[in-house]
Amino acid sequence: MDGYIVGLDPGSTIGYAVLDLDGNVISIDSFKGSFSDTIRTVTKYGKILAVGTDVKKVPKFVEKFASKVGAKIVAPDYDLLYYEKLKKTKEYMKKNKIRLSDRHQMDALASALVAYKHFMALFNKIDNEISDKEISYEIKKLVLMENIPIRSAISVLES
C-alpha cells in the first residue's frame, strides 16, 4: 500500500510520524537534519498524501514540504496545547503499543493525528461502502490525490 499521512514537527530537531490511511503507524522518529534530509527520509515510505501540523499558522517548513511532495496540508483550528497533544498521543500509543523517545516525536504524532482525524469521516464512509480492504485503500488514495468524490474514484478503479 502506498499513500500516507505525515505529521511534522520542524525545528533544529525534526520530528516526523508516518501513518497509513487506516491510521496505523508506519514510522515515528526524530533527527537533526536539513529540509532535504526530511524529504529523503519521509518519502522513502511512499507517496505522501497529506501533511499535518499541530499549529494553526502552518510553518514555512511544512508548507515547503507539502509543496515539494504534492500533499495537502491539514492544520488545526487553533494551536494545540501541550496537554492536548499529550492526551491525544498517549491514548494512541497505548492502543497501538508504541513508545515515543522525545517531545518532537510526540508533536509529530499529534500533527499526524490532526490530519488523520480530518479525513476520518471520509475514510469511514469509504470503509462502510467497500468491504475489500485493498480496494478501500485505493479509493482513499484516489479521493485524496485527485480530490474526487467516492463514486468517481470507484468508477476509476472499475475501468
Side-chain angles (χ1 to χ4, degrees):
M1 291 183 205
D2 186 19
Y4 301 99
I5 293 172
V6 169
L8 285 177
D9 178 46
S12 58
T13 298
I14 299 161
Y16 71 88
V18 181
L19 305 179
D20 69 15
L21 300 184
D22 293 323
N24 302 309
V25 173
I26 302 304
S27 180
I28 300 175
D29 203 358
S30 55
F31 64 96
K32 291 195 181 294
S34 66
F35 177 78
S36 57
D37 293 334
T38 306
I39 294 288
R40 191 173 30 264
T41 301
V42 176
T43 58
K44 73 182 177 191
Y45 298 101
K47 175 75 175 140
I48 308 304
L49 302 175
V51 180
T53 181
D54 59 358
V55 292
K56 182 177 182 174
K57 185 177 182 326
V58 178
K60 293 283 184 215
F61 186 96
V62 174
E63 284 180 358
K64 189 175 169 185
F65 180 91
S67 175
K68 183 82 171 166
V69 301
K72 295 176 178 5
I73 298 174
V74 180
D77 295 331
Y78 61 92
D79 293 356
L80 296 181
L81 300 173
Y82 174 77
Y83 78 87
E84 292 174 298
K85 292 185 274 190
L86 185 63
K87 181 179 183 222
K88 188 180 294 238
T89 56
K90 194 173 185 179
E91 291 169 8
Y92 184 86
M93 290 172 10
K94 185 176 180 180
K95 179 181 166 202
N96 292 280
K97 297 177 178 70
I98 57 171
R99 295 180 63 93
L100 301 177
S101 300
D102 57 42
R103 176 138 182 214
H104 305 288
Q105 293 177 13
M106 181 187 76
D107 289 350
L109 178 57
S111 298
L113 293 172
V114 163
Y116 181 73
K117 184 178 178 186
H118 177 80
F119 296 111
M120 202 159 54
L122 176 66
F123 291 167
N124 287 339
K125 187 174 180 181
I126 292 168
D127 287 338
N128 288 338
E129 286 191 40
I130 308 296
S131 58
D132 184 295
K133 278 199 165 288
E134 285 185 31
I135 293 172
S136 172
Y137 204 89
E138 292 301 315
I139 291 170
K140 290 174 188 177
K141 281 175 27 183
L142 269 175
V143 168
L144 282 185
M145 283 192 306
E146 305 298 329
N147 205 27
I148 59 174
I150 296 169
R151 290 278 159 233
S152 298
I154 291 170
S155 296
V156 167
L157 278 181
E158 288 174 344
S159 59

